[in-house]
Amino acid sequence: MAVGGFSTSAGGGGKDFEAKITPIVIISCIMAATGGLMFGYDIGISGGVTSMPDFLKKFFPTVYRKTQKGGEDRSNYCKYDNQGLQLFTSSLYLAALVATFFASYTTRKLGRKLTMLFAGLLFVCGSILNAAAVNFAMLVLGRILLGCGVGFGNQAVPLFLSEIAPTGIRGALNILFQLNVTIGILCANLINYGTAKIEGGWGWRLSLGLAVIPALLLTIGSLLVVDTPNSLIERGRLDEGKAVLKKIRGTNNIEDELTDIVEASRLAAEVKHPFRNLLTRKNRPQLVIAIALQVFQQFTGINAIMFYAPVLFDTLGFGGDASLYSAVITGAVNVIATFVSIYFVDKVGRRALLLEAGVQMFLSQTVIAILLGLKLKDHSSEGLTHGLAILVVIMVCIFVASFAWSWGPLGWLIPSEIFPLETRSAGQSVTVCVNMLFTFIIAQAFLSMLCHMKYAIFVFFSAWVLVMSFCTLLLLPETKNVPIEEMTDRVWKQHWFWRSFMD
């Protein structure tokens, strides 16, 4: 038990590091986690904007004409199916995929703090360009700059949070990133609901331009926070790293933790090619888990729902205002449910949250598929009845809630804490890259999938939920309350399957 702090004991004979919950840690984590606001705001804003008639009329006139059709000429599932419209959403994630490799270098060589600064500045530039767009090329270029900001931010922020947080509350503080993502989505939905009512056809510009606010928050925050001791020591600034470690832990008794970080830094310095080192046998378990979590996170279907929530609800027969209002409801559920994860992640552990959510997501998506299959026909002027429409919204909220306390935050938390220091930046880079790749695939394909698969798209995603739940049960080790530099000994060498890969 740490004097004046809390126990970081995880059992299993490892070391316990003394640490207090210091104000500098809380403030630094809150500031850094605003990077999630950028990411979340963009996820929420794109779906609302793409359902606004004035935006469609200016940039996607063919889609606009399809949405204005009535009677049997109107397709309930295909009216938004357009590759250009999907490229508007997905181009950001393709840019983020490429940017994360540059971010891996800056995170390792220049530090987590400076990488977060780059993220904020890139997002500011992209927001301004999107708000001022007069043609499709400007629109996509702005999205590419936003994507570069997301790539740098998603690379640096989770690492920063995992390294600066004390072991006992590492999960809760890391989930601040995901909490900010959900707050960003909710803010975007509320803003879209308001700007859609602006007369004169410029409401979409305000929606896109307000993305500059979370970007400025991260930019200013990155100038104020301290860099992590792990990053400072890795870059040869031992005395500064030691001073920061004392400050953030609130104690002078930091020798054990400092020794672990210095040793990890020494091993990291011996690795000349971190990406090549990732492929070695001893690093394969962490790499496989990190990649699998990103693939599975996207194939829950969550981003398909969050990107296109207003479009989806409009497709299901809601009116324009009703579809945006429903998106606001799901955004609010997303925020509230994330607090469940913050409270339970370091108490019940990562695996329990993931497994419970798997059951909940599977059942809710199955119910949605059955309702749509029986009641929503294509090329029909009749949508869902009022009662069934409310039931669909409830099922979507149940699905969103389960994701928000499981695969959403833990998909970022677990990869950020499982890699040893010598491959941590490279591992996080691969994590972000895979996440952005599959986010791009889902964003680019969802409206076409909805058009061709119709209600069966929810069967597709629920089948993936079954697969990922079984993989979690069999292959994912528990990492709660384990010091970040002791994962190999306490976690991987103890796992029934992965221990065979350890030296």
Side-chain angles (χ1 to χ4, degrees):
M1 175 69 72
V3 178
F6 52 86
S7 173
T8 57
S9 174
K15 302 173 212 168
D16 297 329
F17 301 136
E18 183 177 336
K20 298 175 183 177
I21 306 176
T22 57
I24 190 171
V25 167
I26 301 299
I27 293 169
S28 295
C29 287
I30 290 172
M31 285 183 156
T34 55
L37 277 177
M38 296 193 323
F39 191 29
Y41 187 87
D42 179 78
I43 290 173
I45 213 71
S46 55
V49 165
T50 52
S51 69
M52 292 182 186
D54 292 313
F55 177 81
L56 293 174
K57 191 185 300 184
K58 183 172 183 62
F59 296 104
F60 307 99
T62 56
V63 177
Y64 174 74
R65 286 192 291 270
K66 281 196 286 185
T67 63
Q68 300 306 303
K69 290 181 179 179
E72 294 188 359
D73 292 330
R74 178 187 177 95
S75 170
N76 281 324
Y77 288 102
C78 298
K79 58 189 173 185
Y80 287 100
D81 181 22
N82 180 275
Q83 289 300 308
L85 184 62
Q86 292 174 136
L87 183 63
F88 163 72
T89 298
S90 64
S91 56
L92 180 149
Y93 303 97
L94 190 60
L97 187 159
V98 176
T100 188
F101 289 105
F102 295 97
S104 174
Y105 176 83
T106 61
T107 303
R108 193 170 64 253
K109 297 295 185 183
L110 303 179
R112 286 54 163 154
K113 175 177 174 170
L114 200 55
T115 304
M116 290 189 290
L117 177 62
F118 292 157
L121 292 174
L122 286 165
F123 212 86
V124 167
C125 294
S127 303
I128 294 171
L129 195 59
N130 265 180
V134 295
N135 54 47
F136 182 70
M138 276 184 75
L139 205 60
V140 172
L141 181 58
R143 296 287 291 178
I144 289 172
L145 287 174
L146 292 176
C148 291
V150 167
F152 275 80
N154 286 16
Q155 166 77 13
V157 172
L159 284 185
F160 178 91
L161 294 172
S162 284
E163 289 179 347
I164 205 167
T167 301
I169 57 167
R170 186 178 64 238
L173 288 181
N174 195 289
I175 290 172
L176 283 174
F177 177 76
Q178 181 65 20
L179 176 63
N180 275 273
V181 172
T182 63
I183 292 172
I185 293 171
L186 176 60
C187 290
N189 288 334
L190 289 169
I191 288 167
N192 280 333
Y193 185 71
T195 57
K197 299 178 182 297
I198 294 176
E199 296 181 3
W202 57 273
W204 61 270
R205 292 191 186 276
L206 183 59
S207 288
L208 295 177
L210 286 176
V212 76
I213 294 176
L216 286 173
L217 287 175
L218 180 64
T219 303
I220 295 168
S222 64
L223 294 172
L224 299 177
V225 300
V226 296
D227 216 336
T228 68
N230 312 62
S231 176
L232 292 167
I233 293 170
E234 185 182 19
R235 289 180 284 139
R237 295 156 65 177
L238 178 59
D239 291 339
E240 192 176 344
K242 184 177 181 179
V244 169
L245 188 60
K246 286 182 180 180
K247 186 186 297 184
I248 65 175
R249 295 296 179 250
T251 177
N252 289 326
N253 185 20
I254 48 91
E255 293 306 319
D256 285 345
E257 186 172 4
L258 181 66
T259 300
D260 270 12
I261 295 173
V262 170
E263 176 62 13
S265 179
R266 184 187 65 78
L267 293 174
E270 293 175 359
V271 177
K272 302 304 179 187
H273 304 285
F275 283 100
R276 190 183 304 167
N277 189 257
L278 263 182
L279 301 177
T280 59
R281 183 176 175 82
K282 68 176 182 178
N283 288 316
R284 209 165 294 161
Q286 300 95 314
L287 183 62
V288 169
I289 291 294
I291 290 175
L293 285 171
Q294 305 317 303
V295 176
F296 289 157
Q297 187 192 69
Q298 296 312 308
F299 278 95
T300 59
I302 185 64
N303 276 346
I305 288 174
M306 299 315 290
F307 285 151
Y308 300 111
V311 170
L312 178 64
F313 286 126
D314 190 35
T315 292
L316 301 182
F318 293 65
D321 278 354
S323 66
L324 286 170
Y325 187 62
S326 301
V328 170
I329 293 173
T330 57
V333 169
N334 202 13
V335 173
I336 294 168
T338 304
F339 283 101
V340 175
S341 188
I342 290 174
Y343 182 77
F344 282 109
V345 68
D346 291 315
K347 297 181 184 295
V348 304
R350 286 65 162 148
R351 278 166 49 88
L353 288 173
L354 291 172
L355 291 171
E356 184 281 331
V359 175
Q360 194 168 318
M361 287 192 291
F362 175 78
L363 292 176
S364 57
Q365 287 195 325
T366 301
V367 171
I368 293 172
I370 292 171
L371 287 174
L372 299 188
L374 293 177
K375 297 297 182 180
L376 186 67
K377 307 300 180 185
D378 204 6
H379 297 290
S380 170
S381 57
E382 294 184 10
L384 296 173
T385 64
H386 181 70
L388 288 178
I390 292 174
L391 183 56
V392 168
V393 172
I394 291 172
M395 288 297 107
V396 169
C397 287
I398 290 173
F399 168 79
V400 168
S402 58
F403 178 87
W405 64 57
S406 62
W407 288 93
L410 301 185
W412 293 110
L413 166 61
I414 295 171
S416 73
E417 64 185 4
I418 59 177
F419 286 99
L421 184 60
E422 63 263 27
T423 57
R424 195 168 298 153
S425 291
Q428 183 68 10
S429 182
V430 170
T431 297
V432 176
C433 176
V434 174
N435 186 283
M436 293 302 132
L437 173 62
F438 281 88
T439 304
F440 167 77
I441 291 170
I442 293 295
Q444 188 64 28
F446 175 70
L447 293 178
S448 298
M449 291 170 68
L450 182 63
C451 176
H452 293 93
M453 297 175 70
K454 301 179 173 59
Y455 67 89
I457 191 170
F458 292 99
V459 177
F460 171 80
F461 287 129
S462 64
W464 272 99
V465 170
L466 270 185
V467 171
M468 64 184 72
S469 296
F470 277 110
C471 288
T472 298
L473 183 64
L474 295 174
L475 297 175
L476 183 70
E478 182 56 69
T479 56
K480 72 164 182 165
N481 292 337
V482 180
I484 196 169
E485 304 301 351
E486 296 191 11
M487 286 290 171
T488 299
D489 291 331
R490 291 216 208 174
V491 174
W492 303 108
K493 288 184 178 179
Q494 308 301 322
H495 191 268
W496 71 272
F497 180 74
W498 298 120
R499 65 188 177 195
S500 62
F501 289 81
M502 297 293 106
D503 290 338

